[in-house]
C-alpha cells in the first residue's frame, strides 16, 4: 500500500490541489455577493417622504442644494460631487437623540478621516436658532474637521424640502407650523451618483458599524 501511494504521490498531490481549488471556486460562486439597495421614495416609510414624491419608484437622486456652513461658507452639491457622504438632520439644543447621534458621527469622522472619497453633511432643522456662530461653537465642541464635515443652516423651507423630498428622512411637525420638522435618528448614506443607498439608526453602535462597512463597500464599487 505504501509503495502504491509513493508511486502515485504526484497524482494524489495534483488531485488534492485540484479538489481544493474546485471547492473554493464553487463556494465563491454560491456565496451571496454583498449588494446595497438603491432607495427611491416609494421604498421608504411614507411618514418620512413628501407626498409629492411618494409615488416615485426609480431614478431618485439628491437634488441640488445651497446652504451655509459653520464657517459661513456656501456649501452646494458641487462640494460633494463624486463623493460618498453621510447626511443627517439635527439641532444644537436637542437634548434627546442628537448628542448620541453627534458622538457617533464623530466616530464615523475618525474612521473616514483619511479617506478622500467620504464626507459628512449635517443639516439643522432649527435654522432660526442655529446661526453660523452657534454651529461653529457646536463644531468646535465636537471636533468637527472642516474639510470633512459640514454643519449647515439656511432657509427653513429649503431644508424641509431637502429632508423630505431628497433624503426621505424627516417627519412632519405640527400641522399649524409651516415647514415644521421632527428629525429622526436616521443617518442617510449617499453614493457618488447622489443616490440613497442606506438608512441607519444614528444612536445605535451596531448600526454605525454597518454604516462603515457599507461605506467601505461603496468605496470599492
Amino acid at each position: 500500500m505504501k509503495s502504491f501511494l509513493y508511486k502515485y504521490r504526484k497524482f494524489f498531490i495534483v488531485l488534492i490541489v485540484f479538489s481544493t481549488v474546485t471547492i473554493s471556486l464553487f463556494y465563491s460562486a454560491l456565496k451571496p455577493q454583498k449588494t446595497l439597495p438603491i432607495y427611491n421614495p416609494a421604498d421608504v416609510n411614507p411618514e418620512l417622504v413628501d407626498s409629492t414624491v411618494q409615488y416615485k419608484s426609480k431614478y431618485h437622486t439628491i437634488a441640488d442644494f445651497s446652504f451655509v456652513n459653520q464657517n459661513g461658507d456656501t456649501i452646494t452639491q458641487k462640494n460633494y460631487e463624486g463623493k460618498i457622504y453621510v447626511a443627517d438632520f439635527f439641532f444644537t439644543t436637542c437634548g434627546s437623540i442628537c448628542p448620541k447621534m453627534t458622538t457617533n458621527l464623530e466616530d464615523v469622522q475618525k474612521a473616514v478621516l483619511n479617506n478622500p472619497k467620504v464626507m459628512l453633511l449635517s443639516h439643522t432643522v432649527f435654522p432660526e436658532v442655529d446661526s453660523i456662530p452657534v454651529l461653529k461653537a457646536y463644531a468646535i465642541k465636537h471636533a468637527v474637521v472642516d474639510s470633512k464635515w459640514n454643519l449647515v443652516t439656511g432657509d427653513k423651507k429649503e431644508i424641509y424640502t431637502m429632508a423630505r423630498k431628497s433624503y426621505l428622512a424627516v417627519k412632519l411637525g405640527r400641522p399649524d407650523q409651516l415647514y415644521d420638522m421632527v428629525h429622526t435618528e436616521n443617518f442617510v448614506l449617499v453614493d457618488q451618483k447622489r443616490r440613497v443607498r442606506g438608512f441607519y439608526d444614528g444612536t445605535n453602535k451596531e448600526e454605525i458599524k454597518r454604516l462603515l462597512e457599507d461605506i467601505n463597500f461603496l468605496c470599492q464599487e
Side-chain angles (χ1 to χ4, degrees), residues 64-80:
D64 292 351
F65 58 86
S66 180
F67 298 113
V68 179
N69 76 355
Q70 65 269 21
N71 297 309
D73 299 325
T74 298
I75 301 299
T76 73
Q77 71 283 348
K78 289 291 184 181
N79 297 90
Y80 289 80

Side-chain angles (χ1 to χ4, degrees), residues 22-57:
T22 302
I23 291 170
S24 297
L25 290 174
F26 269 111
Y27 177 77
S28 297
L30 294 173
K31 183 181 179 182
Q33 296 298 310
K34 179 180 175 68
T35 59
L36 282 183
I38 298 171
Y39 287 94
N40 292 286
D43 304 319
V44 180
N45 180 352
E47 289 185 2
L48 305 174
V49 182
D50 192 86
S51 60
T52 61
V53 296
Q54 286 175 2
Y55 68 91
K56 193 173 182 180
S57 60

Side-chain angles (χ1 to χ4, degrees), residues 9-213:
R9 66 188 185 281
K10 290 184 178 179
F11 170 78
F12 285 115
I13 290 171
V14 171
L15 182 62
I16 291 169
V17 171
F18 176 78
S19 299
T20 302
V21 171
T22 302
I23 291 170
S24 297
L25 290 174
F26 269 111
Y27 177 77
S28 297
L30 294 173
K31 183 181 179 182
Q33 296 298 310
K34 179 180 175 68
T35 59
L36 282 183
I38 298 171
Y39 287 94
N40 292 286
D43 304 319
V44 180
N45 180 352
E47 289 185 2
L48 305 174
V49 182
D50 192 86
S51 60
T52 61
V53 296
Q54 286 175 2
Y55 68 91
K56 193 173 182 180
S57 60
K58 56 185 178 180
Y59 307 131
H60 177 73
T61 56
I62 303 301
D64 292 351
F65 58 86
S66 180
F67 298 113
V68 179
N69 76 355
Q70 65 269 21
N71 297 309
D73 299 325
T74 298
I75 301 299
T76 73
Q77 71 283 348
K78 289 291 184 181
N79 297 90
Y80 289 80
E81 190 170 13
K83 303 289 186 181
I84 297 160
Y85 69 96
V86 180
D88 79 316
F89 293 84
F90 80 112
F91 59 102
T92 60
T93 54
C94 168
S96 54
I97 61 176
C98 290
K100 189 172 289 187
M101 290 173 66
T102 303
T103 297
N104 285 338
L105 266 187
E106 288 181 61
D107 291 340
V108 173
Q109 178 182 242
K110 290 175 186 176
V112 303
L113 193 58
N114 297 315
N115 187 341
K117 296 180 179 180
V118 186
M119 294 181 68
L120 310 178
L121 180 60
S122 295
H123 312 71
T124 177
V125 298
F126 282 134
E128 60 270 35
V129 173
D130 291 334
S131 62
I132 294 169
V134 169
L135 289 180
K136 185 62 178 178
Y138 194 81
I140 292 170
K141 178 181 178 181
H142 292 284
V144 168
V145 177
D146 291 337
S147 61
K148 182 63 66 173
W149 185 359
N150 290 294
L151 312 179
V152 295
T153 188
D155 179 77
K156 189 163 188 175
K157 179 181 177 180
E158 292 179 13
I159 296 171
Y160 172 97
T161 299
M162 290 301 300
R164 291 183 52 79
K165 289 188 178 182
S166 281
Y167 294 106
L168 320 174
V170 170
K171 294 181 180 180
L172 286 171
R174 292 169 52 188
D176 61 327
Q177 293 289 325
L178 191 61
Y179 307 122
D180 192 29
M181 296 171 279
V182 178
H183 75 99
T184 67
E185 68 280 1
N186 281 335
F187 288 168
V188 184
L189 179 60
V190 180
D191 70 12
Q192 302 95 323
K193 297 179 181 179
R194 298 163 67 170
R195 301 175 300 185
V196 176
R197 302 301 295 273
F199 298 94
Y200 311 82
D201 183 342
T203 67
N204 186 309
K205 289 292 186 184
E206 286 301 312
E207 287 282 281
I208 301 305
K209 180 181 177 182
R210 183 170 69 89
L211 168 60
L212 291 173
E213 290 173 352

